[in-house]
Amino acid sequence: MAGKVKWVTDIEKSVLINNFEKRGWIQVTDSDDWNFYWMSIQTIRNVFSVDTGYRLSDDQMVNHFPNHYELTRKDLMIKNIKRYRKELEKEASPLAEKDENGKHLYLDFVPVTFMLPADYNLFVEEFRKSPSSTWIMKPCGKAQGKGIFLINKLSQIKKWSRDSQVENTNSEILVGLNNDNSQLFGIIDSPLHLLICTKGLCFVRYKLGFCRFCTVKYTPSTSELDNMFVHLTNVAIQKHGDDYNHVHGGKWTVSNLRLYLESTRGRDVTNHLFDQIHWIIVQSLKAVAPVMNNDKHCFECYGYDIIIDDKLKPWLIEVNASPSLTSSTANDRILKYNLINDTLNIVTPNGEIPDCRWNRSLPKEALGHYQVLYDEEQALSESAERDLRSRSGQLLGSKGSRSSSVRPFPATWK
Amino acid sequence: MMDESVSITQIVQRLKGTNLHSQLEKQAKECLHKPEIKLETLKDDVRRLLKASGWERKLQNAVYRELHILPPPGHPRAPPEHTKEPLAYMRKTQVNWEKRILKSLNSMCTELGIPLARKRPVAEQKELTNKWNEMGTDEPDLSKFRPVYAPKDFIEVLVGLKNPNNERSEDLTVRSHWGLIQVSLNVRDILQMVSLPFFISLPSIFLMSRHKELVSEQDSAAAQQYSRQGCPTGLRAQLWSLILNTTNDPEDITHYEQLKARVIHHDLLVDNLIYKDVKLTASNDDYYFVFEDYLYQVLLCFSRDTAVLEHFNYNCATPPKSCIQSKSGSEQCAVVYPPNGVIPFHGFSMYVAPLCFLYNEPSKLYSVFREMYIRYFFRLHSISSHPSGIVSLCLQFERLLQTHLPQLFYHLREIGAQPLRIAFKWIVRAFSGYLSTDQLLLLWDRILGYDSLEIVAVLATAVFVFRAENLMEVTSLASAEAVLADLSTLKVMPLLQIFLFATSV
């Protein structure tokens, strides 16, 4: 098939368009015969809706799964993870192991969340149970500009909602920290991931990314009203909204974070942290895999927001289906451009018109900055091998030795 | 032999007043209670016990450290300035330069009507204490302040250095020096440096496996040897601390707290220079902006640390003195200002910034920075003939480039792009802010390992060699600058290896 890929998008972003154009693809509209549609979330609903939707033909590809929201809607994400845990418990899988307090050892990575104002009363109940704990408040929607902050008094919420002058704003409160003088470590901002369906599941992870680093220590002893809200994102960008720094945009690369952690805390601890982050990603994706429509015309780029507490434990805050393609700094733009480029190289190898009939395997040479986290194909073939041998004690030991037989794959965590 | 015993006396004298000395005495006394001590062999037994408990090693490390900062040996009747810097014309230039800087500082003070030092009112003190961990959020108006000087001012002084004994020859010959530095100092060529393995020390399996022992043995000298091949990321912080013999004992923390208290009580004019420098440099840097607050916590304390004055025993510079108005209104003249004798210049904060990747405790970060400064960094901005001094490094860079790539040097010279004009800023900062941090740390591993800054000059040459092809094509200083503007992708060790192998053939 010698034709050029015909592409459509309803997101006017240069990082996308430049990538399409550099492949010599042809821009068309959605009423034409298109091959590749990079669509926003609103559009995907229409494409796959029962009433107005249409069947995709074998030479068409879209960038979302019909029910991508199974992971991006907080309530569904939690539901899926809970279901996944229960299934593992039923199978008596070692992954579902719990500690003496009933907490999951390996699958406890979503902090307890309350949505405000709806869950306010539930939150108050929980709050009163552990009055010395600290909570993270994450404003959503219009209030997002305030950034994430810590609270330890109920009055602080009231003050915040008064000050922000936004009615009924949805905000999330998460349990992140349970002791005084906690210091939040950092927030990893969307190292992006990709879920593609060729034969089976395959998750890849983008090796580059940015994070926001917190250097402010929160001490509950501060009594002044202003100091109650200690902003966790880098103070430089938080305080001077206008003085936004165009060089770095308040973002630090994940590789810098890694260097810092390795240098100050040691290599083992750092590797463990990143292992855990990958673990969260893989487990959350596995949790939704059964409910995802296994549609060969689809792929997905999820963005993960992860918070790291001062014990260097990562927590999954949320997953975005439409990670921002806007760039705030030059570095950001370069990262996103390369990301789209690498993504397209995987889903449309050689820039050819997609053919969804055939099962393609992951083009290992063309991964770019992507790195395989999990390959179901490989896992299945290796588990078949394993079943022939007797089950040795090679199961999950400590959290650190997770590169064992449960998920065999060739990638290194770096 | 004479020199040795003088040094020993000096070191013993210095160590006598330290905390280590009293701790050793205490330990020795405690040894006396041990049953294995016999009166007949008292001295040997105590020595043995101290060795076994690791105290001998601590003493060794302390002595090793003192050796690093020993003033140069000199004739007993020579004045100290002559011992620190034998060349008269260098001394003179340094003195004149110091006068210029001081004049600039004082005139800024007069122009702006801001006192050099001022006691803070109680309310301000309280505010600063509360804000100590987030001084970066402050938005003081710094528009009136300008850096006292920048590397571009300093290079002019170095270029103007002339040995009055030498004849000035205008003719350009093969034997003459094409670069900007016009003085002849004895700088080493590649082959003269402690043999080729100097730079290309590839880690041997044997050495690699010594990680854990090194840390447990706590041996400064061994750690220094080890650092020549580069430190593993997870151990670097400990190894550097060991090499520099910095500790984080209670008295170090106390010292730091005292300095912090001084910051709280008094405001210094130079504080504004520090703020401005950080805002202009580190805060705009991709790698270091997150550490802004730490930089203030270190540099403001540094300015007030009179212990730094000790390094003027071997630094050819002299601490600047100014007139400060005391509380009673009377002027006290000839007070060292700033208290540590170091006037910060544009880019100074970049000496601290890379260390923030290694140490997240302010007192520890402070100790390491201070030791790095008094061993190495001070040489980058004072005029002397020392092999690690800025003059020698610049000359070494120019000579290396002229010797090994004469065509390139000539070409650049002809188009008005003297190599030193581009490389100077790298050398003055020991490449901080130009290389990516992980590479920079590998470079500084070697500075510590070889106890010399020469590697900075060699790297500068290696960079030019690496980009030689592109540089041969340029036709202006601006385009040469552009070719060398971004060093963030360079890998230090391969670069040095390429250069060394290419030139050794």
Side-chain angles (χ1 to χ4, degrees):
Chain A
M1 278 257 263
K4 291 279 184 187
V5 173
K6 301 198 198 76
W7 61 272
V8 189
T9 184
D10 55 356
I11 303 174
E12 293 294 316
K13 290 287 176 218
S14 58
V15 289
L16 274 178
I17 297 175
N18 291 345
N19 266 301
F20 299 145
E21 287 178 353
K22 94 163 191 180
R23 285 167 170 73
W25 291 0
I26 305 166
Q27 183 173 20
V28 298
T29 66
D30 60 357
S31 42
D32 298 323
D33 253 339
W34 51 264
N35 302 117
F36 192 92
Y37 200 150
W38 190 288
M39 52 178 72
S40 60
I41 307 195
Q42 292 71 38
T43 316
I44 194 86
R45 264 185 234 132
N46 297 337
V47 169
F48 284 111
S49 88
V50 177
D51 324 312
T52 61
Y54 45 95
R55 275 186 81 83
L56 295 176
S57 52
D58 285 335
D59 61 351
Q60 290 184 310
M61 201 157 204
V62 295
N63 65 320
H64 287 297
F65 281 91
N67 55 347
H68 59 87
Y69 46 78
E70 292 283 350
L71 201 53
T72 59
R73 267 182 51 180
K74 201 56 185 280
D75 53 345
L76 290 179
M77 176 180 95
I78 294 179
K79 184 185 110 205
N80 283 315
I81 290 177
K82 281 192 174 150
R83 192 207 70 246
Y84 177 65
R85 284 190 206 151
K86 281 217 170 61
E87 280 169 10
L88 289 173
E89 273 178 67
K90 270 203 209 113
E91 290 171 23
S93 161
L95 291 184
E97 205 179 313
K98 292 188 186 160
D99 68 11
E100 59 274 10
N101 297 324
K103 265 187 135 43
H104 277 273
L105 280 174
Y106 310 118
L107 297 173
D108 175 32
F109 50 77
V110 182
V112 171
T113 309
F114 300 99
M115 300 293 287
L116 292 191
D119 300 333
Y120 184 72
N121 292 326
L122 288 169
F123 165 65
V124 169
E125 214 182 291
E126 188 65 38
F127 181 87
R128 294 214 168 106
K129 277 192 214 158
S130 33
S132 65
S133 59
T134 314
W135 303 74
I136 305 170
M137 186 122 157
K138 182 176 179 291
C140 313
K142 289 207 187 91
Q144 243 171 2
K146 259 267 167 133
I148 300 178
F149 52 93
L150 297 174
I151 53 173
N152 69 346
K153 290 196 184 68
L154 282 176
S155 51
Q156 290 162 333
I157 306 178
K158 296 205 177 98
K159 179 187 190 300
W160 175 83
S161 56
R162 256 201 335 264
D163 281 352
S164 62
Q165 293 172 337
V166 185
E167 291 294 317
N168 293 330
T169 313
N170 258 351
S171 317
E172 294 184 289
I173 298 192
L174 318 159
V175 177
L177 316 161
N178 272 320
N179 38 338
D180 301 300
N181 285 332
S182 301
Q183 180 182 10
L184 202 69
F185 197 79
I187 301 170
I188 293 200
D189 220 6
S190 313
L192 295 171
H193 311 281
L194 180 68
L195 168 75
I196 59 177
C197 273
T198 51
K199 196 155 202 169
L201 295 177
C202 189
F203 316 139
V204 293
R205 170 202 156 251
Y206 207 64
K207 285 187 273 191
L208 307 176
F210 287 112
C211 58
R212 282 177 220 279
F213 182 66
C214 315
T215 55
V216 180
K217 195 165 185 160
Y218 175 70
T219 47
S221 59
T222 50
S223 52
E224 290 155 19
L225 224 49
D226 279 336
N227 287 339
M228 276 184 191
F229 301 115
V230 178
H231 294 252
L232 296 184
T233 48
N234 182 279
V235 258
I237 62 158
Q238 208 41 43
K239 278 281 184 169
H240 333 305
D242 311 319
D243 260 8
Y244 184 72
N245 189 307
H246 292 277
V247 173
H248 50 74
K251 290 182 184 176
W252 213 31
T253 62
V254 173
S255 54
N256 276 334
L257 177 67
R258 221 198 156 99
L259 176 64
Y260 175 75
L261 286 177
E262 251 187 74
S263 304
T264 51
R265 309 267 196 135
R267 200 158 109 196
D268 293 337
V269 165
T270 308
N271 284 343
H272 185 57
L273 168 66
F274 282 91
D275 276 354
Q276 280 186 291
I277 292 172
H278 300 156
W279 176 255
I280 289 178
I281 297 166
V282 171
Q283 294 307 312
S284 58
L285 289 170
K286 274 181 138 177
V288 299
V291 299
M292 276 305 203
N293 293 349
N294 194 345
D295 195 328
K296 293 210 179 80
H297 306 98
C298 306
F299 69 93
E300 194 83 43
C301 257
Y302 280 130
Y304 275 70
D305 276 353
I306 295 187
I307 278 186
I308 306 170
D309 70 19
D310 62 338
K311 312 259 180 327
L312 292 195
K313 177 177 157 78
W315 296 92
L316 177 58
I317 303 304
E318 74 177 357
V319 182
N320 301 305
S322 257
S324 161
L325 295 176
T326 325
S327 305
S328 43
T329 64
N331 282 341
D332 210 18
R333 197 167 303 124
I334 294 171
L335 180 91
K336 286 177 177 155
Y337 178 87
N338 288 331
L339 173 73
I340 304 292
N341 189 38
D342 289 341
T343 308
L344 293 177
N345 283 341
I346 295 179
V347 299
T348 53
N350 302 319
E352 286 165 1
I353 295 181
D355 191 336
C356 303
R357 289 169 298 172
W358 303 114
N359 290 324
R360 283 182 319 273
S361 58
L362 202 59
K364 299 268 183 336
E365 319 73 44
L367 284 177
H369 283 110
Y370 273 109
Q371 158 197 29
V372 178
L373 277 187
Y374 177 75
D375 188 339
E376 191 177 61
E377 224 177 281
Q378 190 156 27
L380 286 174
S381 67
E382 289 189 29
S383 86
E385 248 182 75
R386 224 191 331 118
D387 287 339
L388 293 177
R389 298 180 251 128
S390 60
R391 213 168 251 252
S392 58
Q394 244 211 332
L395 297 171
L396 234 69
S398 71
K399 243 174 162 179
S401 59
R402 219 175 287 113
S403 48
S404 60
S405 55
V406 182
R407 309 177 330 286
F409 51 82
T412 54
W413 288 130
K414 295 256 175 220
Chain B
M1 276 314 281
M2 175 71 157
D3 279 341
E4 207 177 86
S5 59
V6 167
S7 305
I8 293 174
T9 318
Q10 276 179 319
I11 293 177
V12 167
Q13 206 50 43
R14 281 180 59 84
L15 288 178
K16 258 203 175 126
T18 63
N19 193 52
L20 180 65
H21 183 232
S22 34
Q23 280 179 315
L24 277 169
E25 271 187 341
K26 184 161 164 255
Q27 286 295 317
K29 282 193 187 131
E30 281 176 19
C31 283
L32 296 176
H33 298 299
K34 298 245 160 72
E36 53 264 46
I37 302 278
K38 296 191 181 54
L39 194 58
E40 315 86 67
T41 48
L42 185 64
K43 201 166 164 189
D44 290 330
D45 286 344
V46 171
R47 258 210 193 122
R48 204 175 13 97
L49 281 173
L50 286 178
K51 187 170 183 174
S53 54
W55 281 97
E56 190 192 60
R57 174 72 79 221
K58 287 197 186 154
L59 179 61
Q60 272 179 339
N61 289 346
V63 171
Y64 196 62
R65 187 249 176 191
E66 292 300 321
L67 285 171
H68 278 100
I69 59 169
L70 211 54
H75 193 277
R77 276 197 240 127
E81 313 88 69
H82 291 214
T83 321
K84 291 191 286 180
E85 176 48 63
L87 298 175
Y89 69 89
M90 289 260 180
R91 287 199 300 270
K92 188 151 169 237
T93 313
Q94 171 68 18
V95 165
N96 287 338
W97 172 238
E98 283 168 14
K99 282 199 186 124
R100 251 179 81 185
I101 306 175
L102 193 55
K103 190 162 166 219
S104 173
L105 181 67
N106 282 320
S107 60
M108 192 193 309
C109 168
T110 320
E111 263 172 52
L112 300 177
I114 297 177
L116 287 174
R118 162 188 79 92
K119 188 161 167 71
R120 288 189 219 267
V122 173
E124 194 184 317
Q125 288 184 26
K126 188 158 179 252
E127 200 193 321
L128 186 56
T129 312
N130 287 339
K131 254 202 321 217
W132 182 252
N133 289 327
E134 36 179 75
M135 285 185 272
T137 57
D138 241 352
E139 282 274 274
D141 179 16
L142 300 167
S143 52
K144 313 172 278 186
F145 295 98
R146 345 165 272 285
V148 177
Y149 67 96
K152 62 175 165 58
D153 306 307
F154 191 49
I155 189 180
E156 297 307 327
V157 178
L158 301 183
V159 167
L161 265 176
K162 270 189 263 301
N163 184 344
N165 293 337
N166 286 355
E167 232 177 66
R168 275 223 61 182
S169 164
E170 294 297 339
D171 300 337
L172 188 69
T173 67
V174 168
R175 281 211 209 93
S176 62
H177 182 68
W178 297 344
L180 294 171
I181 305 290
Q182 291 301 315
V183 296
S184 301
L185 295 174
N186 205 12
V187 294
R188 301 198 287 185
D189 184 26
I190 305 286
L191 297 171
Q192 292 171 303
M193 298 190 209
V194 187
S195 72
L196 266 174
F198 178 76
F199 294 111
I200 58 170
S201 311
L202 298 167
S204 74
I205 311 285
F206 170 69
L207 285 169
M208 284 274 264
S209 64
R210 293 206 59 226
H211 291 176
K212 303 254 158 54
E213 291 145 36
L214 267 176
V215 176
S216 59
E217 275 169 30
Q218 291 283 297
D219 184 340
S220 288
Q224 182 162 33
Q225 279 284 332
Y226 184 85
S227 189
R228 292 181 185 191
Q229 50 168 353
C231 299
T233 313
L235 286 179
R236 178 176 284 124
Q238 287 170 289
L239 288 173
W240 283 20
S241 174
L242 196 49
I243 296 171
L244 298 167
N245 202 33
T246 55
T247 48
N248 210 25
D249 297 339
E251 68 266 4
D252 299 303
I253 300 178
T254 310
H255 180 70
Y256 178 74
E257 292 296 320
Q258 281 170 347
L259 293 174
K260 180 178 163 185
R262 287 186 210 171
V263 177
I264 305 285
H265 288 132
H266 284 92
D267 179 29
L268 298 180
L269 175 71
V270 292
D271 291 350
N272 294 301
L273 299 175
I274 290 167
Y275 279 122
K276 182 130 194 170
D277 185 43
V278 172
K279 294 279 184 207
L280 287 176
T281 57
S283 296
N284 284 326
D285 190 300
D286 282 354
Y287 295 93
Y288 305 119
F289 73 92
V290 292
F291 300 119
E292 191 181 340
D293 299 323
Y294 281 113
L295 295 175
Y296 298 127
Q297 293 175 352
V298 167
L299 290 166
L300 293 179
C301 289
F302 183 64
S303 294
R304 291 155 172 81
D305 195 349
T306 48
V308 174
L309 293 173
E310 262 184 9
H311 91 287
F312 289 105
N313 290 342
Y314 48 89
N315 182 357
C316 57
T318 38
K321 294 200 169 81
S322 286
C323 293
I324 309 270
Q325 282 225 301
S326 70
K327 236 194 308 197
S328 54
S330 65
E331 273 202 342
Q332 289 171 37
C333 264
V335 172
V336 172
Y337 182 89
N340 71 341
V342 181
I343 297 179
F345 54 89
H346 179 66
F348 194 84
S349 56
M350 294 305 278
Y351 290 140
V352 189
L355 301 173
C356 297
F357 267 84
L358 302 175
Y359 305 100
N360 53 9
E361 247 188 82
S363 61
K364 184 82 195 178
L365 176 62
Y366 180 76
S367 306
V368 172
F369 165 66
R370 186 179 67 176
E371 193 67 20
M372 290 281 283
Y373 181 81
I374 65 172
R375 282 206 206 185
Y376 306 112
F377 297 146
F378 77 90
R379 296 201 191 278
L380 295 170
H381 60 89
S382 31
I383 302 167
S384 79
S385 54
H386 192 276
S388 274
I390 186 76
V391 184
S392 302
L393 296 178
C394 289
L395 183 61
Q396 190 170 32
F397 160 70
E398 289 185 322
R399 283 227 186 115
L400 284 172
L401 193 62
Q402 184 176 342
T403 308
H404 298 287
L405 278 188
Q407 242 190 329
L408 175 63
F409 201 128
Y410 193 81
H411 168 71
L412 290 173
R413 192 183 194 273
E414 289 297 288
I415 62 169
Q418 276 277 2
L420 186 62
R421 292 221 177 269
I422 304 173
F424 188 70
K425 54 187 182 293
W426 307 334
I427 300 175
V428 153
R429 285 211 203 151
F431 281 91
S432 174
Y434 298 105
L435 293 173
S436 66
T437 309
D438 60 315
Q439 293 303 309
L440 183 80
L441 293 173
L442 289 169
L443 177 69
W444 286 16
D445 281 340
R446 271 81 183 184
I447 295 178
L448 285 167
Y450 290 101
D451 193 32
S452 159
L453 287 161
E454 285 169 299
I455 196 165
V456 172
V458 179
L459 181 63
T461 317
V463 172
F464 271 74
V465 169
F466 185 64
R467 300 243 168 111
E469 226 178 280
N470 290 347
L471 286 169
M472 284 302 290
E473 314 261 312
V474 300
T475 52
S476 68
L477 173 61
S479 13
E481 299 257 22
V483 169
L484 295 166
D486 184 7
L487 308 185
S488 59
T489 50
L490 297 184
K491 302 273 181 256
V492 167
M493 292 321 289
L495 213 62
L496 289 171
Q497 284 160 11
I498 293 172
F499 175 47
L500 288 163
F501 279 123
T503 55
S504 65
V505 172

